[in-house]
Amino acid sequence: MSKADKKFTRLLILVFFLVLTATVFGCRSRKKSARIDSGMRTVMGTVARVVVVADDTETVKLAIENAMAELHRTDGLMSDYNDASELSRVNAEAFNKPVVVGAELFSVLSEAVEYSKKTNGAFDVTVGPMVDLWREAAAMNVTPDANKITATAARVGYDKLLLDAEKSTVRFAVKGMRLDLGGIAKGWGIDRAIDAMRAAGAKGGMVDVGGDIRCFAERGHTEIWRIGLQDPRHVDDSGNSCLLVLKLVNDAVATSGDYRRFAYIEGKKYSHIIDVKKAHGTDKLSSVTVIAPIAIQADALATAVSVMGSDKGIELIESIKGVEAILIDENAKITMTSGADEFIEKK
Ligand code: AMP
Ligand code: MG
């Protein structure tokens, strides 16, 4: 893809995320404290918002800037739109030789492989070549032929990603591989932003990156964050199209879905989330929301369950302690895990 194409795609993605962002209605606090909302800022190819609660305004401001700085740092490590990112260096060189990477990128890649194993390959950060194939197909409005799909599939698969923990290196087993951290990087960055907020002295806060959110509240500063979950059938940005409202305290939530980011190719709708085994966009669920203790887990699992579909997805999430999911299919049928109801505000 040319630089101009990449820029254009990035712009499109920004527009999509602008409208995807979940509505955060606010919070209630028991103690008197300072609270500032950063407002929307552009980072990681999307929009991000940070709200911090602390004992004084100085601390709040410091915590906001430190949290935002972590999101920019995440972009510098993991963006595939930035040729200078550590990830882009891996993508450019890892077939020719093992590439030494920093501890953070190595740990995200290791975690990504763990999610691939846990989800039987539904989550797979080696999906890059397939993302490119379908992006190109959407731009041309031509469904890729079987030969192209087979050739692309040969360059995808987490078993072809060779990680050496001792040397902290990444290597590709096959030429033409490309890592795409779009399904997990937001979650990782949100967790780092929350760490930075806490380190700066925040007592509570919320980080929202493109609709993936994590909230925290320390003892004695019990904030309850109310997060609106978009109705995929009625997509508007007024905040009036919420299907339900989630109440979170020390939780993360991520939503993956095809209702905002999809393409029509020769009249057929394709999601931006790829089922690697079928080699095309998923078509089972309109939206998957996962609630988990940390954002990386919510982010990766929401993407994975979008691929797995309702039955297998629910079974997986039920097997993971402390994690819940709310699934909405193309007929607006809602399926939830057994503990999800506890997070839903009653009318
Ligand atoms: P999310 O919005 O978190 O579900 O992430 C979707 C993004 O993850 C896509 O735009 C791709 O960049 C990437 N992606 C697509 N399919 C997969 C997959 N099967 N596993 C991991 N990442 C994927
Ligand atoms: Mg995700």
Side-chain angles (χ1 to χ4, degrees):
M1 204 183 326
S2 73
K3 268 231 157 95
D5 281 345
K6 278 188 181 176
K7 262 196 179 153
F8 180 62
T9 313
R10 188 184 178 119
L11 196 70
L12 276 182
I13 288 171
L14 173 64
V15 172
F16 280 129
F17 276 132
L18 270 170
V19 288
L20 184 72
T21 303
T23 311
V24 180
F25 293 110
C27 66
R28 290 198 303 268
S29 174
R30 288 201 312 235
K31 270 193 176 177
K32 246 198 170 305
S33 45
R35 178 182 187 276
I36 296 178
D37 181 336
S38 70
M40 293 297 186
R41 297 192 199 170
T42 305
V43 61
M44 297 181 73
T46 181
V47 284
R49 178 181 166 205
V50 168
V51 181
V52 172
V53 182
D55 290 339
D56 58 82
T57 309
E58 294 266 282
T59 306
V60 172
K61 285 184 178 164
L62 178 71
I64 286 180
E65 294 318 315
N66 289 2
M68 285 290 184
E70 283 298 274
L71 298 179
H72 285 286
R73 201 171 67 78
T74 305
D75 205 32
L77 290 171
M78 297 174 199
S79 164
D80 50 358
Y81 290 104
N82 173 0
D83 288 345
S85 74
E86 202 176 11
L87 184 76
S88 294
R89 194 165 55 81
V90 170
N91 281 333
E93 296 172 8
F95 175 66
N96 299 324
K97 56 174 194 215
V99 178
V100 179
V101 297
E104 292 182 312
L105 183 58
F106 193 87
S107 116
V108 172
L109 294 177
S110 307
E111 270 200 67
V113 169
E114 287 308 309
Y115 282 113
S116 294
K117 289 180 182 163
K118 219 181 277 180
T119 63
N120 196 19
F123 186 83
D124 193 333
V125 292
T126 68
V127 71
M130 248 174 227
V131 170
D132 294 341
L133 177 76
W134 286 97
R135 213 177 258 166
E136 223 169 87
M140 319 263 291
N141 193 26
V142 178
T143 314
D145 63 39
N147 288 343
K148 247 188 180 173
I149 291 177
T150 308
T152 307
R155 295 189 277 131
V156 175
Y158 69 94
D159 55 317
K160 303 179 184 91
L161 174 61
L162 312 175
L163 301 177
D164 184 330
E166 245 162 55
K167 295 182 183 142
S168 193
T169 58
V170 184
R171 181 145 207 194
F172 295 160
V174 173
K175 198 174 178 184
M177 287 173 66
R178 184 175 79 75
L179 300 176
D180 179 335
L181 296 185
I184 196 169
K186 275 187 279 153
W188 189 85
I190 291 169
D191 289 334
R192 297 295 73 74
I194 291 279
D195 290 347
M197 250 185 208
R198 276 185 199 272
K203 301 288 185 238
M206 186 278 305
V207 178
D208 171 353
V209 181
D212 288 357
I213 290 167
R214 181 170 163 192
C215 312
F216 94 92
E218 286 200 341
R219 266 173 203 277
H221 282 259
T222 314
E223 324 293 329
I224 298 172
W225 300 89
R226 301 174 65 240
I227 316 284
L229 187 65
Q230 174 85 57
D231 182 342
R233 294 162 303 170
H234 305 110
V235 180
D236 78 46
D237 306 312
S238 62
N240 300 324
S241 55
C242 288
L243 200 60
L244 43 90
V245 174
L246 299 176
K247 290 196 316 183
L248 306 181
V249 180
N250 270 306
D251 312 283
V253 61
T255 298
S256 291
D258 72 356
Y259 64 101
R260 292 288 194 185
R261 296 181 63 194
F262 57 86
Y264 278 98
I265 306 172
E266 296 185 77
K268 191 174 175 334
K269 187 178 173 183
Y270 292 92
S271 165
H272 66 126
I273 299 169
I274 310 262
D275 183 335
V276 166
K277 290 194 183 111
K278 292 189 182 149
H280 62 68
T282 59
D283 50 14
K284 293 179 190 133
L285 293 161
S286 288
S287 116
V288 172
T289 296
V290 171
I291 304 162
I294 56 172
I296 191 169
Q297 193 179 21
D299 192 1
L301 290 174
T303 307
V305 171
S306 297
V307 175
M308 297 171 86
S310 188
D311 292 350
K312 285 191 179 147
I314 291 281
E315 193 181 287
L316 172 76
I317 301 298
E318 289 286 13
S319 76
I320 307 173
K321 206 170 162 263
V323 180
E324 304 296 339
I326 301 166
L327 278 45
I328 306 172
D329 74 9
E330 67 274 20
N331 301 316
K333 187 177 149 236
I334 300 180
T335 313
M336 288 188 225
T337 51
S338 50
D341 194 50
E342 278 173 38
F343 292 93
I344 298 172
E345 188 171 77
K346 306 294 171 305
K347 285 186 183 141

